[in-house]
Amino acid sequence: MKKGRVKKRSTSRSKIAQYIPSIELKKIPPEKALTILKKAGCDIDQDQSEEIMDFLYIIVKLTLKEYFTSD
C-alpha cells in the first residue's frame, strides 16, 4: 500500500452520509483490526487500518440497508 496520506473531503463525506443508514454496529477495536490486517499480509499503520475499517463499516451498512429495509 502507498505510504502517503489521503486528504479527507468533508463535503463529499456529508453527501455520502445521506445514503448510509444510521445502523449501530459493534466495532472492532483499531488495534485488533490492525493485527488482523497485518496477519493477512497488509503492510499498513494504525491510521490506514482505521480508514479501511471505516470503509468496511460503510459497505456493511449499505448492504444491510439493501437487504433488510423496505425503501
Side-chain angles (χ1 to χ4, degrees):
M1 297 192 98
K2 291 185 177 181
K3 298 271 182 185
R5 296 279 301 157
V6 176
K7 276 187 156 181
K8 292 184 181 181
R9 298 181 189 163
S10 61
T11 57
S12 65
R13 182 87 169 138
S14 62
K15 289 180 184 177
I16 293 171
Q18 69 183 349
Y19 299 106
I20 302 170
S22 59
I23 300 170
E24 289 298 319
L25 298 173
K26 181 179 176 185
K27 293 197 173 190
I28 297 172
E31 299 81 22
K32 186 172 182 179
L34 181 61
T35 303
I36 293 168
L37 290 166
K38 283 196 180 227
K39 188 175 180 181
C42 297
D43 184 25
I44 59 174
D45 61 18
Q46 183 76 25
D47 292 335
Q48 291 170 327
S49 72
E50 289 176 12
E51 289 179 24
I52 291 169
M53 293 308 295
D54 287 340
F55 174 74
L56 291 175
Y57 289 126
I58 289 171
I59 298 298
V60 167
K61 287 181 178 186
L62 290 173
T63 302
L64 291 172
K65 178 185 177 186
E66 181 70 24
Y67 288 101
F68 296 109
T69 61
S70 60
D71 290 336

